Amino acid sequence: MGIEAWYMDSSDEDQRKPHRLQPNQAVSLEELKQLGVCYWKLNADIYENDPALKQIREDQGYSYMDIITIKKDTLPNYEEKLKMFFEEHLHLDDEIRYILDGQAYFDVRDKKDQWIRIAMSKGDLITLPAGIYHRFTLDETNYTKAMRLFVGEPVWKAYNRPADEYEIRQKYVASSACFFWVLRDDSSSYMVVRLKRTLSWRYSVGSCCTRPSSWPRDSFRRPR
């Protein structure tokens, strides 16, 4: 089952509530792809020895990994951290999170500056592109355990909005990247690949393809 997302209402009620519009206005994975959001569904029960996760890390260059448990009795300065996570901000690098247990929400801004809420649950791995305005919160279960992945040494610095002066934000806003699905060799899951427009390949947004067996895996690596 794929990830679920929807446009948010403007209520100031508890941030952990779903905040769906009435009627609900769902956001498809296709629409998330157009914002640069990448997604994989994995088996979190075998994350320590999962060949699919290992391959993703190799393909994407996710050399750093740690695990955080966000729960009142395990996370120091719990309330302060939740407040900080929910401040609208951006990063200079992609944000990669893999939910190993529990549930949570990532909120991202669309191109019209509207909030989209992405419901994360066990087995969901998501990448938010550098420069996108976003925020994070637990849902009403008040618990999640997540793997944090990074290319190279981690940089946790967040730049709260407004941060439009940063080059990465300007590049994100101006980007016209394209996205497409690649079916994994074992047919167990799909991955999204984001291509720079300077590459010679021409795929329309949302097109589907599988990697021909004669093409090297690196043909589909994410540009760094």
Side-chain angles (χ1 to χ4, degrees):
M1 184 175 180
I3 203 165
E4 185 183 10
W6 56 86
Y7 277 100
M8 297 182 67
D9 63 27
S10 57
S11 170
D12 292 328
E13 194 178 7
D14 187 347
Q15 69 192 46
R16 300 168 303 167
K17 293 184 178 295
H19 287 279
R20 296 176 187 267
L21 292 172
Q22 295 299 328
N24 182 54
Q25 187 175 343
V27 176
S28 68
L29 187 54
E30 199 73 25
E31 291 170 290
L32 293 178
K33 285 161 54 182
Q34 293 179 42
L35 297 176
V37 176
C38 300
Y39 170 75
W40 295 261
K41 186 68 174 183
L42 300 174
N43 182 357
D45 290 330
I46 60 170
Y47 76 89
E48 293 179 301
N49 300 292
D50 183 6
L53 176 60
K54 180 182 178 182
Q55 190 64 63
I56 290 170
R57 291 188 63 181
E58 290 178 357
D59 289 347
Q60 305 300 315
Y62 298 155
S63 54
Y64 174 88
M65 179 276 287
D66 72 2
I67 294 174
I68 183 172
T69 299
I70 305 177
K71 191 177 181 181
K72 191 168 186 178
D73 58 357
T74 60
L75 182 66
N77 304 314
Y78 172 80
E79 296 293 347
E80 181 182 329
K81 290 285 181 63
L82 282 187
K83 183 178 180 181
M84 179 183 69
F85 294 156
F86 199 62
E87 288 285 340
E88 184 176 1
H89 63 278
L90 60 77
H91 299 290
L92 304 186
D93 298 278
D94 292 355
E95 180 161 332
I96 308 109
R97 296 292 182 269
Y98 178 22
I99 304 300
L100 303 178
D101 197 15
Q103 299 169 176
Y105 294 128
F106 270 108
D107 300 337
V108 298
R109 292 282 193 181
D110 74 358
K111 296 295 186 179
K112 296 181 180 178
D113 217 32
Q114 297 176 293
W115 278 119
I116 294 171
R117 172 148 284 187
I118 305 170
M120 300 285 292
S121 58
K122 184 176 179 179
D124 291 336
L125 191 161
I126 197 171
T127 299
L128 305 183
I132 192 173
Y133 281 126
H134 66 282
R135 61 191 183 189
F136 171 88
T137 186
L138 296 178
D139 69 1
E140 293 175 282
T141 63
N142 293 307
Y143 163 69
T144 196
K145 178 180 178 182
M147 179 184 293
R148 301 185 293 189
L149 297 158
F150 209 92
V151 177
E153 291 298 315
V155 180
W156 306 117
K157 174 68 175 176
Y159 298 86
N160 289 346
R161 190 170 187 174
D164 296 330
E165 71 275 16
Y166 289 96
E167 183 181 6
I168 194 65
R169 174 61 185 174
Q170 296 167 12
K171 285 184 176 180
Y172 173 75
V173 171
S175 68
S176 59
C178 65
F179 308 87
F180 63 93
W181 288 104
V182 177
L183 179 63
R184 295 191 61 80
D185 290 340
D186 60 4
S187 300
S188 63
S189 61
Y190 288 85
M191 62 183 293
V192 179
V193 177
R194 177 155 44 100
L195 301 178
K196 292 179 180 177
R197 61 181 174 181
T198 54
L199 297 180
S200 60
W201 300 323
R202 292 291 180 264
Y203 291 92
S204 61
V205 171
S207 65
C208 296
C209 65
T210 57
R211 178 175 62 87
S213 59
S214 60
W215 290 15
R217 184 179 297 275
D218 282 356
S219 296
F220 291 93
R221 292 188 70 171
R222 185 189 64 164
R224 306 259 172 79

